[in-house]
Amino acid sequence: GVPSSWGNAQGCGGIAFVVLLVCLQTCAGWWPLLVRKDIVKKRLKKFTGHQSDRRKTIRPSWRGPKGVDSRVRRKFKGQTLMPNIGYGSNKKTRHMLPNGVFKFIVNDVKDLELLMMHNRKYVAEIAHNESTRKRKEIV
């Protein structure tokens, strides 16, 4: 059955509403699967290079400003923001996919065996440089 603290759930057929707890119904009862933390991004926009929107020669990828008089480097109000450590993600949710799992790059069948015990936390992705023959073996 289900513990009475879980709310209005009767036996194995009932539905329990639990905050941040996903449950699996088995013959033996209810087992917690995964406690998932919400992914919080401190900034969604990319950091673009200073004046990359004005000049063709400046690519949009971020390069730190080096100029002595640079307004961006001196952090004047209203200027382009510079990336710094404060924009970092939570260590537990870093690299997490929106569905709550992490990617694991697979190069051969041996790597798949590693995932067998961790299939609720990691999902396999075949490496980009694998041949078609090797991909068929893995799948």
Side-chain angles (χ1 to χ4, degrees):
V2 181
S4 59
S5 62
W6 285 15
N8 190 10
Q10 299 295 322
C12 282
I15 299 172
F17 296 101
V18 183
V19 179
L20 288 176
L21 187 64
V22 181
C23 293
L24 173 68
Q25 184 179 352
T26 63
C27 297
W30 294 77
W31 297 99
L33 270 183
L34 186 67
V35 177
R36 187 176 158 232
K37 227 169 148 46
D38 285 343
I39 301 168
V40 178
K41 305 263 189 210
K42 293 179 188 168
R43 183 186 165 96
L44 295 171
K45 278 201 263 177
K46 286 269 221 198
F47 287 101
T48 57
H50 179 47
Q51 289 194 338
S52 63
D53 55 331
R54 294 172 184 233
R55 299 165 181 256
K56 272 187 181 176
T57 54
I58 300 173
R59 282 175 273 137
S61 58
W62 175 257
R63 296 288 182 271
K66 304 280 194 291
V68 184
D69 297 325
S70 172
R71 297 180 301 183
V72 175
R73 185 189 60 77
R74 289 160 67 190
K75 298 180 182 164
F76 281 15
K77 189 163 66 172
Q79 300 306 312
T80 308
L81 291 174
M82 298 208 306
N84 55 47
I85 201 68
Y87 289 106
S89 301
N90 183 343
K91 199 185 279 189
K92 289 181 180 170
T93 61
R94 195 177 298 153
H95 308 299
M96 188 185 276
L97 300 176
N99 62 355
V101 295
F102 298 94
K103 272 187 195 173
F104 182 80
I105 306 295
V106 173
N107 289 303
D108 54 8
V109 181
K110 216 186 315 179
D111 289 347
L112 271 182
E113 291 165 13
L114 284 170
L115 286 181
M116 296 307 277
M117 296 300 291
H118 306 285
N119 61 355
R120 298 198 195 287
K121 194 170 185 179
Y122 294 95
V123 66
E125 182 183 51
I126 300 173
H128 75 96
N129 55 353
E130 289 302 331
S131 65
T132 312
R133 181 175 57 87
K134 200 84 166 273
R135 284 171 188 267
K136 286 177 183 172
E137 283 176 24
I138 293 169
V139 173

